[in-house]
Amino acid sequence: MAETNTIEVENISVTFAGGVQAVAGISLKLSVGETLGLVGESGSGKTTLAKALVGLNRPESGRVVVEGRDLTGLTRADRLWLRRRVQMIFQDPLSSLSPRFTIRKLLAEPLAIHGLNAKERWPAVLDLMARLGLSEAQLDKFPHQVSGGQARRVAIARALVIDPSFLIADEPTAGLDVSVQGELLNLLSDLQQRFSLGILIVSHNLNVIGRVTDRVAIMYLGKVVEEGPTRAVFRAPRHPYTRALLSANPVIDPEHKRKKIVLSGEIPSPSKPPAGCRFHTRCPNVQPRCLVEEPQLTEAENGRRYACHFPLESAA
Ligand SMILES: Nc1ncnc2c1ncn2[C@@H]1O[C@H](COP(=O)(O)OP(=O)(O)OP(=O)(O)O)[C@@H](O)[C@H]1O
Ligand code: SF4
Ligand SMILES: [Mg+2]
């Protein structure tokens, strides 16, 4: 039964011209009121998956169901409805903010597009700006006249002025100073609570993910290899790739003194992923079975899922 307060991704695949299968059969669920993190090396398909959730990438198989409605074959009117429910902040926020518009205009535009009364809504817009630490004096500036952190806040405000249920944030803190990153993450947490948003945060940065997400999904070459409550996954990863990612990050678990696992070899091309387990060319625990049989993402204890024939011990 489709739920009305979720985005459900059911076994979707997205292949680009040239045969790059950027997303290769992924199922995920994002509920209102929760923050889900999406992690993985560059090229693992995070942005491609994120864009499928807002209808910008059409999966060639599987389906995305937003609040009970299947996105396949949406009409024009349905697309407007979708944008109202699910907003995305893009990886490069400046490129998504027209340089010819003032911040005032950038914030008013989404209201106009959705036929909302700007006058009526303006106090809420100002309230949102204040929450985001943007002053009224900034309304008449252009995006390139404010700092990178402020431009990011404008992009967030622009996404939230129409009151969506879901926010998809692609690398929201990339390129910002650590202190600005922290402020921005606090803001996202505040806004999430206030508006009861479902948030998907895409990030390379495990400290960011560890700090603000309830659940995390780890991607490798177009697949989710592990998923579960962030704290449990970070404390005791079951997939060797997750462990390798975490081991490279001393901040996550300094007491644990995990031995750093250096992954040998480059990430293979998504146009010809390795047979069997896609991670077998780099896995420190590879066995003969891994070369021929693809492990499926299977349900395990405490709402966790992982795809490995030889999962790590839970106390590893
Ligand atoms: N429009 C496109 N046309 C062709 N190939 C694409 C397109 N967009 C992405 N790809 C390819 O799909 C794969 C996944 O790309 P994607 O941008 O989703 O990765 P990502 O995980 O977001 O990486 P990053 O961390 O660098 O942002 C890559 O091999 C990329 O080159
Ligand atoms: S299935 Fe095999 S190769 Fe793949 S992650 Fe598990 S142990 Fe490593
Ligand atoms: Mg990306």
Side-chain angles (χ1 to χ4, degrees):
M1 236 324 75
E3 294 178 44
T4 51
N5 54 352
T6 60
I7 297 179
E8 288 180 78
V9 174
E10 296 172 6
N11 199 21
I12 64 164
S13 296
V14 179
T15 305
F16 293 112
V20 174
Q21 195 176 26
V23 170
I26 285 185
S27 298
L28 273 181
K29 184 161 131 183
L30 174 65
S31 301
V32 156
E34 97 175 326
T35 303
L36 173 69
L38 192 59
V39 178
E41 281 166 292
S42 191
S44 56
K46 304 179 298 296
T47 297
T48 306
L49 175 61
K51 284 187 173 172
L53 301 189
V54 293
L56 289 175
N57 276 330
R58 184 184 289 262
E60 80 255 15
S61 61
R63 48 184 215 146
V64 178
V65 180
V66 174
E67 295 186 340
R69 289 173 78 170
D70 187 339
L71 300 195
T72 318
L74 282 190
T75 64
R76 227 189 152 80
D78 291 338
R79 294 209 157 265
L80 203 57
W81 166 84
L82 177 67
R83 280 168 68 186
R84 184 84 202 269
R85 311 313 313 147
V86 191
Q87 276 285 308
M88 179 159 177
I89 305 169
F90 292 93
Q91 199 161 354
D92 177 7
L94 264 189
S95 71
S96 66
L97 299 176
S98 170
R100 290 171 295 110
F101 285 6
T102 60
I103 292 171
R104 182 188 302 279
K105 181 118 191 250
L106 285 167
L107 295 179
E109 191 193 39
L111 300 175
I113 289 172
H114 292 277
L116 300 170
N117 185 324
K119 246 203 197 111
E120 238 166 56
R121 289 251 172 176
W122 205 248
V125 173
L126 293 179
D127 177 62
L128 184 61
M129 277 187 66
R131 276 174 196 283
L132 283 161
L134 295 166
S135 68
E136 274 196 70
Q138 283 163 321
L139 279 173
D140 295 308
K141 291 189 172 161
F142 290 91
H144 60 269
Q145 293 175 317
V146 301
S147 71
Q150 285 167 338
R152 219 65 71 103
R153 289 158 201 244
V154 171
I156 295 172
R158 191 170 140 85
L160 296 185
V161 288
I162 55 167
D163 235 343
S165 307
F166 298 96
L167 179 66
I168 314 296
D170 196 352
E171 299 281 4
T173 63
L176 301 177
D177 291 345
V178 174
S179 64
V180 181
Q181 287 188 10
E183 284 165 27
L184 202 72
L185 294 175
N186 289 342
L187 278 172
L188 278 178
S189 296
D190 286 354
L191 293 168
Q192 200 248 352
Q193 302 227 322
R194 175 164 166 83
F195 298 105
S196 186
L197 288 164
I199 301 185
L200 179 80
I201 292 194
V202 176
S203 184
H204 279 93
N205 188 327
L206 292 168
N207 301 328
V208 166
I209 295 292
R211 188 162 154 184
V212 293
T213 65
D214 305 305
R215 298 175 65 77
V216 65
I218 318 287
M219 280 186 77
Y220 187 77
L221 275 182
K223 295 226 172 225
V224 170
V225 297
E226 177 154 17
E227 193 218 327
T230 308
R231 206 178 301 167
V233 171
F234 278 20
R235 193 187 304 130
R238 303 300 303 273
H239 195 285
Y241 179 62
T242 312
R243 183 163 71 177
L245 279 184
L246 291 169
S247 80
N249 188 310
V251 182
I252 295 286
D253 196 0
E255 284 152 73
H256 212 105
K257 299 213 173 33
R258 259 190 262 261
K259 204 166 154 277
K260 183 166 178 188
I261 299 159
V262 181
L263 291 177
S264 55
E266 290 294 298
I267 181 165
S269 159
S271 59
K272 28 179 174 9
C277 174
R278 291 177 175 224
F279 186 52
H280 86 247
T281 54
R282 299 166 81 198
C283 181
N285 304 351
V286 58
Q287 310 264 339
R289 179 180 172 196
C290 309
L291 277 58
V292 290
E293 190 186 328
E294 181 164 15
Q296 301 301 317
L297 191 65
T298 38
E299 308 274 335
E301 74 285 352
N302 305 324
R304 297 184 62 168
R305 299 193 295 166
Y306 37 83
C308 176
H309 295 310
F310 307 99
L312 303 167
E313 290 300 316
S314 52

